[in-house]
């Protein structure tokens, strides 16, 4: 495809493109020269709209400044007494350090290293501690209970605080498993249970029953088999139970895990270190992991202020930093991931932040490439415009912000926010996972985003 054909609609004015899209709700955008910061074109650019996961770009900048690109999170095994004859004379503590990427494989390596160190058992308790960061039962209380992208938060988190639920038809019933699986391991857990119930709706129910996360699922929703990840609300116990199972496989018998609110003291026997923060943030922006955004955001606030802050308090501190550091004076955030729809960012603010990041940091290289598509939805591999950006999606909210490289070699910073807030607010909690008309609305928004990008790629090519 020749460039002039690919950009054949680019000379159409932005207002015409918006009118043609017939998207319900509000549209706001801003585009600027990424090097000079000169605003080139705006529409309702001072209007604050829900940014959804575009918020994660701000979180990435916040974490890089206060933690540093090479920061690593540490998960420790601490002994409160000496090790004599392979026996810990006291308690063993699995102590989280806020690592958002800790997984079953990492705990398996810790268990293997514990055996290699010569430890065979303990005389005291097996404790789990997540107090490095404040606990939150969930990120956004307005989400359905069962969605895996809205788990609990803790300084000790495992598998993004999700448990794997799998079911398979067995005659007139179903066999179910709840485990903390990885590519290599599938340790079953008992802190979360599932019962299949003969009903149509609701699909899932949840209750914390005597310390057990008890789920039920409607039989009508299961079919012959399948799986999904469910959120965990007691992450410290979850991690402790999985580690205890993995340790048992190496012949190390530990007593039942118990959560402690007291910061552990003693000797660090072993520690697991995460990848550098730069890599954690790259994957966060690629896969849009909410738990990662919340934990690194809270860790950055702790480094900035010297004290821990709950989710809302930390988000407010990040908003203050964004105003001071990035000129985002109209930004009001309720979390670090964008899951809460009460957050507001203007397109003007977001574009200013991207200009600042383009001049001073590695953000552009960390963002993923956004393919442009033809009228049939097929990716145009040789499109003359390239885009690196962060997407953001909630029900009847779609956002895109990042950088455009034009055919003329000019870099542009841009933000496009679209939202139909009345339509979103009318949804019940049960409707929020797959609302009627949501996918169609989102498709129209993305088509408008591409039309605007193609316009800017020619109009401001340089």
């Amino acid at each position: 495809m020749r460039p002039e054909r690919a950009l054949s609609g680019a000379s159409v004015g932005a207002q015409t493109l918006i009118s043609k899209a017939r998207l319900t709700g509000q549209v706001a955008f801003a585009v600027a020269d990424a090097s000079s910061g000169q605003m080139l074109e705006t529409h309702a650019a001072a209007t604050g709209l829900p940014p959804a996961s575009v918020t994660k770009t701000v979180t990435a900048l916040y974490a890089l400044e206060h933690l540093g690109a090479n920061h690593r999170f540490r998960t420790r095994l601490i002994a409160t007494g000496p090790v004599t004859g392979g026996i810990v004379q006291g308690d063993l503590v699995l102590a989280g350090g806020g690592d958002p990427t800790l997984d079953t494989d990492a705990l398996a390596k810790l268990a293997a290293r514990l055996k290699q160190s010569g430890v065979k058992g303990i005389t005291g308790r097996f404790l789990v501690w997540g107090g490095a960061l404040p606990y939150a039962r969930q990120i956004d209380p307005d989400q359905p209970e069962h969605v895996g992208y809205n788990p609990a938060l803790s300084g000790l988190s495992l598998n993004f605080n999700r448990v794997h639920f799998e079911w398979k038809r067995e005659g007139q019933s179903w066999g179910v498993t709840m485990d903390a699986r990885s590519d290599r391991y599938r340790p079953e857990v008992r802190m979360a249970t599932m019962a299949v119930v003969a009903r149509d709706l609701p699909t899932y129910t949840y209750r914390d029953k005597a310390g057990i996360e008890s789920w039920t699922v409607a039989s009508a929703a299961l079919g012959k088999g399948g799986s999904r990840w469910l959120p965990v609300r007691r992450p410290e116990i979850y991690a402790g139970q999985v580690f205890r199972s993995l340790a048992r496989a190496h012949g190390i018998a530990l007593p039942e895990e118990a959560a402690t609110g007291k910061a552990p003291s003693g000797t660090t026997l072993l520690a697991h270190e995460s990848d550098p923060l730069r890599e954690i943030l790259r994957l966060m922006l690629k896969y849009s992991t909410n738990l990662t955004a919340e934990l690194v955001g809270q860790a950055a606030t702790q480094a900035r202020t010297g004290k821990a802050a709950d989710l809302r308090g930390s988000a407010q501190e990040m908003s203050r930093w964004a105003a001071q550091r990035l000129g985002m004076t109209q930004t009001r955030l309720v979390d670090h991931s964008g899951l809460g729809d009460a957050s507001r960012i203007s397109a003007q603010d977001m574009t200013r932040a991207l200009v600042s990041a383009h001049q001073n940091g590695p953000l552009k290289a960390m963002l993923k490439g956004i393919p442009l598509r033809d009228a049939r939805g097929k990716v145009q591999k040789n499109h003359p415009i390239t885009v690196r950006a962060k997407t953001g999606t909630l029900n009847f909210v779609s956002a895109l912000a990042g950088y455009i490289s034009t055919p003329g070699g000019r870099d542009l910073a841009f933000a496009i926010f679209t939202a139909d807030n009345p339509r979103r607010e009318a949804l019940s909690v049960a409707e929020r996972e797959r609302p009627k008309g949501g996918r169609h609305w989102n498709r129209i928004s993305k088509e408008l985003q591409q039309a605007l990008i193609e316009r800017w790629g020619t109009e401001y090519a340089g």
Side-chain angles (χ1 to χ4, degrees), residues 413-438:
F414 76 96
I416 307 170
F417 294 143
T418 63
D420 189 338
N421 287 327
R423 198 167 176 182
R424 176 175 173 79
E425 290 165 3
L427 297 173
S428 68
V429 172
E431 293 174 311
R432 291 191 175 187
E433 191 171 16
R434 294 185 182 88
K436 184 178 180 180

Side-chain angles (χ1 to χ4, degrees), residues 152-173:
L153 303 176
S154 167
L156 178 58
S157 297
L158 180 68
N159 299 331
F160 302 106
N161 288 340
R162 302 175 307 167
V163 62
H164 190 262
F165 162 47
E166 185 173 23
W167 65 93
K168 186 178 295 185
R169 190 68 184 252
E170 296 178 351
Q172 298 301 311
S173 61

Side-chain angles (χ1 to χ4, degrees), residues 134-364:
Y135 171 81
R137 185 182 180 277
Q138 55 197 338
I139 300 170
D140 178 21
D142 293 330
Q143 298 293 328
E145 187 74 77
H146 62 276
V147 292
Y149 52 76
N150 188 37
L153 303 176
S154 167
L156 178 58
S157 297
L158 180 68
N159 299 331
F160 302 106
N161 288 340
R162 302 175 307 167
V163 62
H164 190 262
F165 162 47
E166 185 173 23
W167 65 93
K168 186 178 295 185
R169 190 68 184 252
E170 296 178 351
Q172 298 301 311
S173 61
W174 289 263
V176 302
T177 58
M178 299 283 272
D179 60 52
R181 71 177 52 191
S182 67
D183 292 338
R184 298 182 60 189
Y185 304 97
R186 294 190 179 184
E188 291 190 12
V189 298
R190 294 185 303 281
M191 49 74 62
T193 64
M194 177 65 72
V196 179
V197 178
R199 65 169 187 258
D200 293 327
L201 292 172
T203 303
Y204 290 94
T205 68
Y206 170 89
R207 61 183 294 202
D208 190 327
K209 185 177 180 182
I212 301 296
E213 300 195 27
S214 300
W215 292 90
T216 73
V217 62
S219 58
L222 294 184
K224 293 182 179 180
S227 65
R228 73 174 295 158
W229 290 92
L230 294 169
V232 167
R233 306 294 179 209
R234 304 176 76 233
E236 296 95 343
I237 297 299
Y238 176 48
Q241 196 167 103
V242 171
F243 181 79
R244 183 160 58 91
S245 174
L246 294 166
R248 185 170 59 248
H250 289 286
I252 305 171
L254 298 175
E256 185 174 351
E257 58 285 332
T260 178
K262 182 179 179 181
S265 60
T267 302
T268 297
L269 300 179
L270 298 166
H272 167 77
E273 289 195 342
S274 72
D275 287 338
L277 181 65
R278 181 192 298 106
E279 177 64 8
I280 291 174
L281 295 177
R282 185 187 71 81
L283 294 175
M284 175 193 76
L285 293 168
K286 180 178 180 179
Y287 297 110
S288 206
T289 44
N290 293 331
L291 179 135
T292 300
E294 303 302 350
L295 295 189
V296 299
Q298 286 184 297
T301 294
Q302 194 169 52
R304 172 178 168 83
T305 65
K307 57 184 179 181
D310 63 17
L311 184 56
R312 285 294 182 101
S314 181
Q316 289 170 1
E317 187 62 36
M318 188 168 83
S319 299
R320 285 190 285 270
W321 169 84
Q324 297 164 4
R325 185 73 171 79
L326 304 175
M328 302 179 73
T329 56
Q330 298 167 310
T331 294
R332 302 292 181 270
L333 301 174
V334 300
D335 57 34
H336 309 90
S337 65
L339 186 58
D341 61 6
S343 288
R344 293 292 183 270
I345 297 180
S346 70
Q348 182 174 269
D349 268 9
M350 191 68 240
T351 302
R352 285 173 178 162
L354 290 165
V355 169
S356 177
H358 184 267
Q359 297 168 348
N360 302 310
L363 181 64
K364 181 181 177 182

Side-chain angles (χ1 to χ4, degrees), residues 28-52:
F29 68 72
V31 60
D33 183 282
S35 297
S36 69
Q38 177 190 2
M39 283 290 177
L40 303 174
E41 190 169 301
T42 64
H43 175 81
T47 301
L49 292 175

